[in-house]
Amino acid sequence: MITAPFCAAADWGTTNFRLWLLDASGGVLAERSSGQGMRTCLPDHSFNAVIEEHLKGLDAPADLPVVVTGMAGARGAWKEAAYLDTPAQLDALHAKAVRVEEAQRDVRILPGVCQRRKGREDVMRGEETQLAGACAEGRRSGLFCLPGTHSKWVRLQEGRLTEFTTFMTGELFALMTGHSVLADMIAKGTGDSTSPAFADAVSEMLGGTALTGRLFSIRAASLLANDAPDARARLSGLLIGAEIAATREALQGDAAATLIASGAQAGAYETALSVAGVGCGILDGHDLVRRGLYSAALALWPERSAT
Amino acid sequence: MITAPFCAAADWGTTNFRLWLLDASGGVLAERSSGQGMRTCLPDHSFNAVIEEHLKGLDAPADLPVVVTGMAGARGAWKEAAYLDTPAQLDALHAKAVRVEEAQRDVRILPGVCQRRKGREDVMRGEETQLAGACAEGRRSGLFCLPGTHSKWVRLQEGRLTEFTTFMTGELFALMTGHSVLADMIAKGTGDSTSPAFADAVSEMLGGTALTGRLFSIRAASLLANDAPDARARLSGLLIGAEIAATREALQGDAAATLIASGAQAGAYETALSVAGVGCGILDGHDLVRRGLYSAALALWPERSAT
């Protein structure tokens, strides 16, 4: 006997799309993913066509409801789901979900979270759903790090998202690698976060150094030695070290941070945190976002889960 | 009667070329400038042709010697003039000048300065000649700030360049403005360093904030307010503020910093320094580099100045 799906759940980011069919207990019946992120769908406003195509590919019933998180809810994207202000109750994301009228089925987009404090303005879309997933797994308090193009460091207190800071770490790494005077050196670099140069650079930043006053040393060291094997590892260490140096005060109250990451990125942040003497647990972002979407779906469609 | 020139002096940077004919007392008889910087001359190795063209344009005698500073002396450029190590005696740059054999006349390129301390590796070409000019004017000690694509903060002690740090401020501003997720907001911004947002951003950085954790606030503030009049001023304030925060310890021993800059750049740094409670004197970089080149020429060709 084939289990009937309870709902579909989509994580719709800037550059990626991911869809799951879930059963009533949150188990994965089927899944698909593609590069059809918001950026791909914006020009033709093809959100509805894209999601229906993937639902069809998974043989989803025509009346199956869908819960969505991420950039699909940005202003000007599929349909704007206004930000919740901090402090934001993460088990109540569903209460502010918006319904997409143009869809043939019941589609709800979860809101992002914003912080309005002057000079500390910040926004997220998608990460709050990962964190809602962490709450659902019992991780309701503490400091969470979500590395990426725009890394987020987030404080949870009893299931409420109280404050957060975005670091442009990944974007700066890409800009430096692609367009800066360091690009040649970085392209030649062979090191990674297991290189001593990575840990050394993290240490330097923990010493209270200004990032912009260290980046050029990568170029200078290469000119002086006529070689730059560590350029890439050093740039990565300086950038990630800057994040940890900035959050160190917040870290001191915690036994450990929770890292929501995987692969090489998780390894790099784990190493950098250990240089700072901070332990960390690692959770998988895809699992968490699916868990957060499932929790919201349970609250949105209680009658479906009861059947 | 037309005064016979004593020497020619060239400031040959990455993107600009500037040439003066000087009399025996350092006065300017004539000058030219162009966009034929090192980057333009490298592909065809056209250094000799370019400088001869400009010397001809100024009716320079065929045997007039030329002293050169800047990127023309980089490895792979016209002819490498090896770096002097810190601490570097600024009135002795001429002693390590290299002669360009391929030139039809006596052409000498002054060395740059390097710092080899691990993690603090740094290099300059051209700024040391401006600083030699400051020394010749009696400014032989103190902290100097030379804003630019790669801003330099330099410590002089009794005419010796003892240590320095390059900040990638100008390059980061350009990368953010041209290629980052902030580009749209910055393009729309109308503010400059006279905007309150500039001084506020400098203050924020002086509070010990991490730059990479504040850049994204420019985007978030714009999304939340649906407007971003201050984006450009705020980015500039954060970047320049990061420089001053990093050098603040060094600044405390000094009554004032000396700014080698002009125009809007000088205004921005003067404002930022005043937010930090630091006074500054302002010197013009073109005047100083000419003065430094002249001092070197006097030492290189004493017999010519005596006639």
Side-chain angles (χ1 to χ4, degrees):
Chain A
M1 194 192 107
I2 295 168
T3 310
F6 156 58
C7 74
D11 180 11
W12 211 329
T14 303
T15 53
N16 285 295
F17 172 85
R18 202 172 281 264
L19 181 71
W20 295 274
L21 291 199
L22 302 179
D23 66 23
S25 61
V28 176
L29 298 172
E31 63 182 292
R32 312 239 312 189
S33 64
S34 82
Q36 292 158 302
M38 178 198 65
R39 212 168 270 162
T40 306
C41 300
L42 259 187
D44 306 326
H45 198 78
S46 59
F47 295 94
N48 195 54
V50 165
I51 202 166
E52 287 298 330
E53 173 206 327
H54 285 287
L55 286 164
K56 193 173 167 201
L58 293 177
D59 289 326
D63 63 349
L64 190 72
V66 187
V67 58
V68 178
T69 184
M71 293 301 287
R75 188 181 300 159
W78 198 3
K79 166 147 183 162
E80 183 176 4
Y83 294 111
L84 299 184
D85 281 71
T86 52
Q89 197 68 37
L90 289 172
D91 59 13
L93 295 178
H94 65 280
K96 297 289 182 182
V98 299
R99 185 153 180 173
V100 182
E101 288 89 0
E102 71 156 309
Q104 291 100 308
R105 60 179 82 233
D106 187 353
V107 176
R108 316 282 181 109
I109 306 183
L110 300 180
V113 173
C114 74
Q115 177 171 278
R116 297 185 188 271
R117 205 170 112 207
K118 189 163 160 48
R120 300 290 310 273
E121 290 93 344
D122 218 326
V123 293
M124 63 168 70
R125 282 200 184 275
E127 292 90 348
E128 73 295 326
T129 307
Q130 294 183 35
L131 293 162
C135 289
E137 301 280 353
R139 311 283 192 116
R140 299 172 58 80
S141 294
L143 196 62
F144 292 74
C145 169
L146 298 85
T149 303
H150 299 149
S151 284
K152 312 270 182 202
W153 284 78
V154 187
R155 167 73 64 192
L156 299 195
Q157 287 180 356
E158 303 290 331
R160 290 184 321 148
L161 195 167
T162 54
E163 58 174 338
F164 66 107
T165 303
T166 299
F167 292 81
M168 285 183 64
T169 301
E171 183 165 357
L172 283 167
F173 188 83
L175 288 172
M176 291 282 141
T177 304
H179 301 283
S180 84
V181 74
L182 308 181
D184 282 354
M185 280 125 244
I186 295 166
K188 286 180 209 147
T190 52
D192 59 19
S193 66
T194 62
S195 309
F198 177 84
D200 288 349
V202 172
S203 281
E204 252 177 86
M205 292 308 301
L206 293 175
T209 294
L211 177 73
T212 58
R214 282 297 180 276
L215 294 172
F216 193 74
S217 68
I218 295 172
R219 176 167 171 80
S222 145
L223 287 171
L224 294 174
N226 207 8
D227 191 17
D230 291 330
R232 191 179 185 84
R234 180 160 165 77
L235 175 63
S236 175
L238 290 174
L239 285 165
I240 295 174
E243 282 188 36
I244 294 169
T247 48
R248 200 208 303 227
E249 207 172 311
L251 281 164
Q252 283 167 347
D254 298 87
T258 301
L259 202 50
I260 302 183
S262 56
Q265 203 165 49
Y269 277 76
E270 192 177 20
T271 299
L273 282 164
S274 80
V275 171
V278 178
C280 68
I282 301 179
L283 300 177
D284 180 86
H286 298 309
D287 290 347
L288 289 187
V289 77
R290 196 182 68 235
R291 186 71 176 83
L293 287 163
Y294 170 67
S295 295
L298 282 178
L300 285 167
W301 303 298
E303 74 289 356
R304 288 185 57 86
S305 65
T307 60
Chain B
M1 193 193 108
I2 297 170
T3 310
F6 156 57
C7 75
D11 180 11
W12 212 329
T14 304
T15 54
N16 286 294
F17 171 85
R18 201 171 282 264
L19 181 71
W20 296 272
L21 291 199
L22 301 179
D23 67 21
S25 61
V28 177
L29 299 172
E31 61 182 291
R32 314 239 310 188
S33 64
S34 81
Q36 291 157 302
M38 177 198 65
R39 213 169 270 160
T40 306
C41 301
L42 260 187
D44 306 325
H45 198 78
S46 59
F47 296 94
N48 194 55
V50 165
I51 200 165
E52 286 299 330
E53 173 206 327
H54 285 287
L55 286 163
K56 194 175 168 199
L58 294 177
D59 289 328
D63 63 349
L64 190 73
V66 188
V67 58
V68 179
T69 184
M71 293 301 286
R75 188 180 300 160
W78 197 3
K79 167 148 183 161
E80 182 174 5
Y83 295 110
L84 299 185
D85 282 70
T86 53
Q89 197 68 39
L90 289 173
D91 60 12
L93 294 178
H94 66 278
K96 297 289 183 181
V98 299
R99 185 155 181 172
V100 183
E101 288 89 1
E102 71 157 307
Q104 292 99 307
R105 59 180 82 233
D106 188 354
V107 176
R108 316 281 181 110
I109 306 181
L110 300 180
V113 173
C114 73
Q115 178 171 279
R116 296 184 189 271
R117 205 171 113 208
K118 186 162 161 50
R120 299 290 311 272
E121 290 92 344
D122 218 326
V123 293
M124 63 167 71
R125 281 201 185 273
E127 291 91 348
E128 72 296 325
T129 306
Q130 294 183 37
L131 293 162
C135 289
E137 302 281 353
R139 312 280 192 118
R140 299 172 58 80
S141 292
L143 195 62
F144 292 73
C145 169
L146 298 86
T149 303
H150 299 148
S151 284
K152 312 268 182 203
W153 285 78
V154 187
R155 167 73 63 192
L156 299 195
Q157 287 180 357
E158 303 289 332
R160 290 184 320 148
L161 195 167
T162 54
E163 57 174 339
F164 66 107
T165 303
T166 300
F167 292 81
M168 286 183 64
T169 301
E171 182 165 357
L172 283 168
F173 188 83
L175 288 173
M176 290 283 144
T177 303
H179 300 284
S180 83
V181 74
L182 308 180
D184 282 353
M185 281 124 242
I186 294 165
K188 287 181 210 146
T190 53
D192 60 18
S193 67
T194 62
S195 308
F198 177 83
D200 288 350
V202 172
S203 281
E204 253 178 83
M205 292 309 301
L206 293 174
T209 292
L211 177 72
T212 57
R214 282 298 180 277
L215 295 172
F216 191 75
S217 69
I218 297 172
R219 176 168 172 81
S222 145
L223 286 172
L224 295 174
N226 206 9
D227 191 17
D230 292 331
R232 192 179 183 84
R234 180 161 165 78
L235 175 62
S236 176
L238 291 174
L239 284 165
I240 295 175
E243 280 188 36
I244 294 170
T247 49
R248 201 206 303 226
E249 206 172 311
L251 281 165
Q252 283 168 347
D254 297 87
T258 301
L259 202 50
I260 301 182
S262 57
Q265 204 165 48
Y269 277 77
E270 192 177 19
T271 300
L273 282 164
S274 79
V275 171
V278 178
C280 69
I282 301 180
L283 300 176
D284 181 86
H286 298 310
D287 291 347
L288 289 187
V289 77
R290 197 182 67 235
R291 186 71 175 86
L293 286 163
Y294 170 69
S295 295
L298 282 178
L300 285 166
W301 304 296
E303 73 291 355
R304 288 185 58 86
S305 66
T307 59

